Coordinates of all heavy atoms in Angstrom, one line a residue:
S1 N 3.1 -9.3 -3.0 CA 3.7 -8.0 -3.1 C 5.2 -8.0 -2.9 O 5.8 -6.9 -3.0 CB 3.0 -7.0 -2.2 OG 3.3 -7.4 -0.8
G2 N 5.8 -9.1 -2.7 CA 7.2 -9.2 -2.5 C 7.8 -8.9 -1.2 O 9.0 -8.8 -1.0
V3 N 6.9 -8.6 -0.2 CA 7.3 -8.4 1.2 C 7.9 -9.6 1.8 O 8.9 -9.6 2.5 CB 6.2 -7.8 2.0 CG1 6.6 -7.6 3.5 CG2 5.7 -6.4 1.5
H4 N 7.2 -10.8 1.6 CA 7.7 -12.1 2.1 C 8.0 -13.0 0.9 O 7.3 -12.8 -0.2 CB 6.6 -12.7 3.0 CG 6.3 -12.0 4.2 ND1 7.2 -11.4 5.0 CD2 5.1 -11.9 4.9 CE1 6.7 -10.9 6.1 NE2 5.4 -11.1 6.0
T5 N 8.8 -13.9 1.1 CA 9.0 -15.0 0.1 C 8.3 -16.2 0.7 O 8.1 -16.4 1.9 CB 10.5 -15.3 0.0 OG1 11.1 -15.7 1.2 CG2 11.3 -14.1 -0.6
F6 N 8.0 -17.2 -0.2 CA 7.3 -18.4 0.2 C 8.3 -19.5 0.3 O 9.3 -19.5 -0.3 CB 6.1 -18.7 -0.8 CG 6.5 -18.8 -2.2 CD1 6.9 -20.0 -2.8 CD2 6.4 -17.7 -3.1 CE1 7.2 -20.1 -4.1 CE2 6.7 -17.8 -4.4 CZ 7.1 -19.0 -4.9
D7 N 7.9 -20.5 1.1 CA 8.7 -21.7 1.3 C 8.6 -22.7 0.2 O 9.7 -23.3 -0.2 CB 8.4 -22.3 2.6 CG 8.6 -21.4 3.8 OD1 9.5 -20.5 3.7 OD2 7.9 -21.5 4.8
S8 N 7.4 -23.0 -0.3 CA 7.2 -23.9 -1.4 C 5.9 -23.6 -2.1 O 5.1 -22.8 -1.6 CB 7.2 -25.4 -0.8 OG 6.1 -25.5 0.1
G9 N 5.8 -24.2 -3.3 CA 4.6 -23.9 -4.1 C 5.1 -23.1 -5.3 O 6.3 -23.0 -5.6
S10 N 4.1 -22.5 -6.0 CA 4.5 -21.7 -7.2 C 3.5 -20.6 -7.4 O 2.3 -20.7 -7.0 CB 4.5 -22.6 -8.4 OG 3.2 -23.1 -8.7
I11 N 3.9 -19.5 -8.1 CA 3.1 -18.4 -8.5 C 3.4 -18.1 -9.9 O 4.5 -18.0 -10.3 CB 3.4 -17.1 -7.6 CG1 3.1 -17.4 -6.1 CG2 2.6 -16.0 -8.1 CD1 3.4 -16.2 -5.3
E12 N 2.3 -18.0 -10.7 CA 2.4 -17.6 -12.1 C 1.7 -16.3 -12.4 O 0.6 -16.2 -11.9 CB 1.9 -18.8 -13.0 CG 2.7 -20.1 -12.9 CD 2.1 -21.1 -13.8 OE1 1.2 -20.8 -14.6 OE2 2.6 -22.3 -13.7
I13 N 2.3 -15.5 -13.2 CA 1.6 -14.3 -13.7 C 1.5 -14.4 -15.2 O 2.5 -14.5 -15.9 CB 2.4 -13.0 -13.3 CG1 2.7 -12.9 -11.8 CG2 1.7 -11.7 -13.8 CD1 1.4 -12.7 -11.0
A14 N 0.2 -14.5 -15.7 CA 0.0 -14.7 -17.1 C 0.8 -15.9 -17.7 O 1.3 -15.8 -18.8 CB 0.3 -13.4 -17.9
G15 N 0.9 -16.9 -16.9 CA 1.5 -18.1 -17.4 C 3.0 -18.2 -17.2 O 3.6 -19.2 -17.5
R16 N 3.6 -17.2 -16.6 CA 5.1 -17.1 -16.4 C 5.3 -17.2 -14.9 O 4.8 -16.5 -14.1 CB 5.7 -15.8 -16.9 CG 7.2 -15.7 -16.8 CD 7.7 -14.5 -17.4 NE 7.2 -13.3 -16.8 CZ 7.9 -12.7 -15.8 NH1 9.0 -13.2 -15.3 NH2 7.4 -11.6 -15.2
R17 N 6.1 -18.2 -14.5 CA 6.4 -18.5 -13.1 C 7.3 -17.3 -12.5 O 8.3 -16.9 -13.2 CB 7.1 -19.8 -12.9 CG 7.4 -20.2 -11.4 CD 7.8 -21.6 -11.2 NE 6.7 -22.5 -11.5 CZ 6.7 -23.8 -11.0 NH1 7.7 -24.2 -10.4 NH2 5.6 -24.6 -11.3
V18 N 6.9 -16.8 -11.3 CA 7.6 -15.7 -10.7 C 7.8 -16.1 -9.2 O 7.2 -16.9 -8.7 CB 6.8 -14.4 -10.8 CG1 6.7 -14.0 -12.3 CG2 5.5 -14.5 -10.1
A19 N 8.8 -15.4 -8.6 CA 9.1 -15.5 -7.2 C 9.7 -14.1 -6.8 O 10.9 -13.9 -7.2 CB 10.0 -16.6 -6.9
F20 N 9.0 -13.3 -6.1 CA 9.5 -11.9 -5.9 C 10.3 -11.9 -4.6 O 9.9 -12.4 -3.5 CB 8.3 -11.0 -5.7 CG 7.3 -11.0 -6.9 CD1 6.0 -11.2 -6.7 CD2 7.8 -10.8 -8.2 CE1 5.1 -11.3 -7.8 CE2 7.0 -10.8 -9.3 CZ 5.6 -11.1 -9.1
D21 N 11.4 -11.3 -4.6 CA 12.3 -11.1 -3.4 C 12.3 -9.7 -2.9 O 13.0 -9.3 -2.0 CB 13.7 -11.6 -3.7 CG 14.4 -10.9 -4.8 OD1 13.8 -9.9 -5.4 OD2 15.5 -11.3 -5.3
S22 N 11.4 -8.8 -3.5 CA 11.3 -7.4 -3.1 C 10.0 -6.8 -3.6 O 9.5 -7.3 -4.7 CB 12.5 -6.6 -3.6 OG 12.4 -6.4 -5.0
P23 N 9.5 -5.8 -3.0 CA 8.3 -5.1 -3.5 C 8.5 -4.5 -4.9 O 7.6 -4.4 -5.7 CB 8.0 -4.0 -2.5 CG 8.6 -4.6 -1.2 CD 9.8 -5.4 -1.6
A24 N 9.8 -4.1 -5.2 CA 10.1 -3.5 -6.5 C 9.9 -4.5 -7.6 O 9.4 -4.2 -8.7 CB 11.5 -3.0 -6.5
K25 N 10.3 -5.8 -7.3 CA 10.1 -6.8 -8.4 C 8.7 -7.1 -8.6 O 8.2 -7.3 -9.7 CB 10.9 -8.1 -7.9 CG 12.4 -8.0 -7.8 CD 13.0 -7.8 -9.2 CE 14.5 -7.7 -9.2 NZ 15.1 -8.9 -8.6
S26 N 7.9 -7.1 -7.5 CA 6.4 -7.3 -7.7 C 5.8 -6.2 -8.5 O 5.0 -6.4 -9.4 CB 5.8 -7.4 -6.3 OG 4.4 -7.4 -6.4
R27 N 6.2 -4.9 -8.2 CA 5.7 -3.8 -8.9 C 6.1 -3.9 -10.4 O 5.3 -3.5 -11.3 CB 6.2 -2.5 -8.3 CG 5.6 -1.2 -8.9 CD 4.2 -1.0 -8.6 NE 3.6 0.0 -9.5 CZ 2.5 0.6 -9.2 NH1 1.8 0.4 -8.1 NH2 1.9 1.5 -10.1
E28 N 7.3 -4.3 -10.7 CA 7.7 -4.4 -12.1 C 6.9 -5.4 -12.8 O 6.7 -5.3 -14.0 CB 9.2 -4.9 -12.1 CG 10.2 -3.8 -11.7 CD 11.6 -4.3 -11.7 OE1 11.8 -5.5 -12.1 OE2 12.5 -3.6 -11.2
A29 N 6.3 -6.4 -12.1 CA 5.5 -7.4 -12.8 C 4.0 -6.9 -12.9 O 3.2 -7.6 -13.5 CB 5.5 -8.7 -11.9
G30 N 3.8 -5.7 -12.4 CA 2.4 -5.1 -12.6 C 1.5 -5.3 -11.4 O 0.3 -5.2 -11.6
I31 N 2.0 -5.6 -10.2 CA 1.2 -5.8 -9.1 C 1.3 -4.6 -8.2 O 2.4 -4.1 -7.8 CB 1.6 -7.1 -8.3 CG1 1.5 -8.3 -9.1 CG2 0.8 -7.2 -7.0 CD1 2.0 -9.6 -8.5
A32 N 0.1 -4.0 -7.9 CA 0.0 -2.9 -7.0 C -0.9 -3.2 -5.8 O -1.9 -3.8 -6.0 CB -0.6 -1.7 -7.8
V33 N -0.4 -2.8 -4.6 CA -1.2 -3.1 -3.4 C -1.5 -1.8 -2.6 O -0.7 -0.9 -2.5 CB -0.3 -4.0 -2.4 CG1 -1.2 -4.5 -1.2 CG2 0.2 -5.2 -3.2
V34 N -2.7 -1.7 -2.2 CA -3.1 -0.6 -1.3 C -3.5 -1.2 0.1 O -4.5 -2.0 0.2 CB -4.4 0.1 -1.9 CG1 -4.8 1.2 -0.9 CG2 -4.0 0.7 -3.2
Y35 N -2.6 -1.0 1.1 CA -2.8 -1.5 2.4 C -3.7 -0.5 3.2 O -3.9 0.7 2.8 CB -1.5 -1.6 3.1 CG -0.5 -2.7 2.5 CD1 0.6 -2.3 1.7 CD2 -0.8 -4.0 2.7 CE1 1.4 -3.2 1.2 CE2 0.1 -5.0 2.2 CZ 1.2 -4.6 1.4 OH 2.0 -5.5 0.8

């Protein structure tokens, strides 16, 4: 959800590598979280 960044590894959304540095960037990629 972009609250934390990771130290190593990778995340792909529909085959495209992403790394979110904010919740807004995660939301722009189509990820929604209900805490």
Side-chain angles (χ1 to χ4, degrees):
S1 64
V3 175
H4 296 321
T5 57
F6 53 88
D7 300 330
S8 61
S10 64
I11 298 176
E12 295 180 7
I13 305 293
R16 184 174 64 89
R17 184 168 289 199
V18 297
F20 306 126
D21 56 9
S22 69
K25 293 290 181 61
S26 173
R27 182 73 196 200
E28 286 175 9
I31 297 175
V33 187
V34 177
Y35 296 104

